[in-house]
Amino acid sequence: MPAREPTIVATSGGHRVGGRTRVTFDALVHHAVDLSGVHGRRPRLMYVGTAIGDAEHFTARMGEAARVAGFDFTPLQLFPMPNVADIEGTVLEQDVVWVMGGSVANLLAVWRVHGLDGVFRRAWRAGVVLSGVSAGSLCWFEGGTTDSYGPELRPVTDALGILPYGNGVHYDGDPGRRPLAHRLVADGTLPETHCTDDGVGLVYRGTRLVEAVTEVPGKGAYIVRRSGPGGTAEEERIEPRRLPALG
């Protein structure tokens, strides 16, 4: 059963160290699965590691996390070639797509070579929940702040644009992210921008932000808007709903 509306879960979290595994899925991944509406069978989760070059060791860790969580796991790998013959058909079979962080600039370039920009938009419309962390959050928006080009943060403005906003990830984890997001909104480089502290996710139905949720108490989500004829930015904090802690 697909999600009842096109759904995106854009996060700065979702993973933690496991008790017996290197990585375990935290509450944000489980929430994305819950929003897919799947019941009566094991959830189908696709992991996309393009932003870290399909690093095999991390794909293996995510596969182990999926096994522990009780999910059917399908990695989509694009290096050195796609690992499935029918990319679109495989994506459309999933309940949730989870995109790993890394270089959003490289991710976007490689996805476009393989037509994934269109595939993911069609999957979103069909009810596959699109989700991810960091670069896997930024990719669904118009753009945001990134270190894809080097240690100095810069804007990316050519993301997929499924969501008509900017996105700010790791808002409290990297001291340069907040002031850059404010500057980019103030000067019109980015539209209204939705930002997440580490451990926080934003849930969209269609293109409408419906809720902020968090794995970590005390964290926040934020909307940064352009204000006034002089082009300044103002920030509104959104208090996220605390997701149930996982054992």
Side-chain angles (χ1 to χ4, degrees):
M1 177 182 293
R4 58 185 176 83
E5 295 179 70
T7 301
I8 290 176
V9 183
T11 86
S12 291
H15 313 144
R16 59 183 170 89
V17 176
R20 295 182 180 273
T21 59
R22 295 290 294 273
V23 176
T24 191
F25 290 141
D26 212 338
L28 287 168
V29 177
H30 286 269
H31 190 55
V33 170
D34 290 344
L35 291 172
S36 75
V38 63
H39 63 273
R41 59 169 171 80
R42 289 165 60 93
R44 299 171 185 150
L45 183 138
M46 171 175 278
Y47 165 71
V48 185
T50 316
I52 52 171
D54 290 337
E56 292 183 3
H57 73 285
F58 209 84
T59 301
R61 292 176 185 176
M62 296 295 276
E64 183 68 2
R67 182 191 65 77
V68 171
F71 303 158
D72 286 344
F73 179 77
T74 300
L76 177 61
Q77 298 171 330
L78 301 177
F79 297 93
M81 67 177 72
N83 65 327
V84 295
D86 180 3
I87 292 177
E88 182 160 355
T90 304
V91 171
L92 288 171
E93 290 173 348
Q94 308 305 310
D95 300 304
V96 175
V97 170
W98 182 265
V99 180
M100 184 57 192
S103 171
V104 70
N106 292 350
L107 172 154
L108 291 167
V110 174
W111 280 7
R112 286 179 169 127
V113 166
H114 293 280
L116 274 162
D117 47 348
V119 167
F120 283 138
R121 188 178 290 272
R122 291 189 289 275
W124 170 70
R125 290 175 179 149
V128 178
V129 175
L130 304 182
S131 57
V133 55
S134 194
S137 174
L138 287 167
C139 61
W140 313 120
F141 293 80
E142 296 284 346
T145 61
T146 182
D147 58 5
S148 295
Y149 305 106
E152 183 177 345
L153 291 167
R154 290 172 52 184
V156 60
T157 57
D158 63 343
L160 298 189
I162 296 175
L163 298 173
Y165 316 104
N167 184 220
V169 294
H170 309 305
Y171 207 55
D172 65 338
D174 184 334
R177 300 269 183 175
R178 179 180 255 118
L180 180 57
H182 279 235
R183 289 199 301 272
L184 295 173
V185 171
D187 69 16
T189 301
L190 291 178
E192 175 180 303
T193 293
H194 299 175
C195 307
T196 50
D197 286 343
D198 289 338
V200 175
L202 300 171
V203 178
Y204 297 84
R205 294 291 196 178
T207 60
R208 181 171 58 94
L209 175 62
V210 297
E211 188 175 31
V213 292
T214 184
E215 303 165 333
V216 182
K219 297 299 186 102
Y222 310 86
I223 298 177
V224 182
R225 300 181 178 92
R226 195 174 190 211
S227 175
T232 59
E234 61 180 19
E235 178 181 289
E236 174 191 359
R237 180 181 170 105
I238 300 171
E239 293 301 329
R241 177 173 64 87
R242 178 78 154 93
L243 294 171
L246 302 176

